[in-house]
Amino acid sequence: FEDLFGGGFGDIFGGRPNAAPQRGGDVRAAITIELRDAVLGAEREISFARPDGGTRRLKVKIPAGFEDGSTLRLSGQGMEGPGGPGDLMLEISVRPHPHLRREGNDLYLDVPITVKEAVRGARIEVPTFQGTIKLTVPPGSQSGDTLRVKGRGIGKGDLFVVLMVRVPDASNPGVSEAVDRLEDAYGNVRADLSL
């Protein structure tokens, strides 16, 4: 009967019930966090405008490993409605770090080393979000060589330390003399370069 004559018989014969009350609308907000917060997780207090003209303050737990541009859904923090409140959709941007870059769950850090450290090898200290670590620079290292540190990325990701050989200030007269002596140790460094 209901299919033939419409929904009017539903109430009479115990058919489908009335539609459930609608939830309140979702609210959108945005926040910018540091890379450290994205890697380790953090708790931040945010303030956002509601569509009804009001303002709300809320403490938000940001889980570790959050990616730039992702949206965190906070259930029940939106507009009120007959069927309950909607959600808050919080878009999270991660501010670029001056020294670290992220690729997936891995982190890359450019670390300057001296010519002596590159030639002879050295033990150097490297900062990480979990604390300072010591790494061994192998003798004969070149700029761009990479040292992998397991578990110091995001989640199960790793930290890759990229060695960058830094030359001293050429305005120092002693440097110029040292470079002349160092040059004698080179062969043709571009011998294998071809296109």
Side-chain angles (χ1 to χ4, degrees):
F1 285 106
E2 194 171 353
D3 289 337
L4 292 175
F5 299 106
F9 292 98
D11 294 334
I12 299 173
F13 298 112
R16 55 173 190 254
N18 293 330
Q22 282 196 333
R23 293 169 61 249
D26 292 339
V27 176
R28 292 192 169 272
I31 184 176
T32 299
I33 62 173
E34 303 297 333
L35 181 59
R36 173 186 290 272
D37 298 334
V39 172
L40 302 179
E43 185 175 88
R44 291 288 176 268
E45 187 173 274
I46 65 170
S47 178
F48 59 95
R50 298 167 59 89
D52 59 8
T55 301
R56 183 166 185 189
R57 299 183 71 84
L58 185 68
K59 281 189 176 180
V60 176
K61 286 187 177 180
I62 300 167
F66 222 79
E67 293 190 27
D68 180 53
S70 298
T71 300
L72 181 64
R73 179 188 290 270
L74 300 172
S75 180
Q77 301 298 332
M79 296 292 293
E80 295 292 337
D87 299 333
L88 170 63
M89 311 296 289
L90 183 63
E91 183 174 320
I92 299 180
S93 300
V94 180
R95 186 176 287 112
H97 194 278
H99 303 296
L100 279 167
R101 58 188 179 276
R102 175 179 181 171
E103 294 184 14
N105 286 330
D106 296 327
L107 297 175
Y108 288 78
L109 175 64
D110 292 341
V111 175
I113 60 173
T114 67
V115 173
K116 180 181 176 180
E117 289 171 334
V119 173
R120 295 185 178 176
R123 288 279 287 175
I124 63 172
E125 291 189 345
V126 176
T128 74
F129 287 138
Q130 296 88 352
T132 301
I133 59 174
K134 287 190 175 182
L135 293 180
T136 298
V137 177
S141 293
Q142 304 285 347
S143 276
D145 286 354
T146 303
L147 305 177
R148 179 181 180 184
V149 185
K150 290 185 177 181
R152 290 297 177 114
I154 301 169
K156 295 182 179 179
D158 300 325
L159 170 66
F160 291 88
V161 173
V162 183
L163 301 177
M164 307 299 292
V165 180
R166 180 169 293 177
V167 299
D169 185 0
S171 65
N172 186 327
V175 169
S176 182
E177 294 174 8
V179 168
D180 288 338
R181 292 195 300 272
L182 186 62
E183 186 70 13
D184 295 336
Y186 285 105
N188 183 355
V189 296
R190 291 175 290 280
D192 297 329
L193 182 63
S194 62
L195 299 177

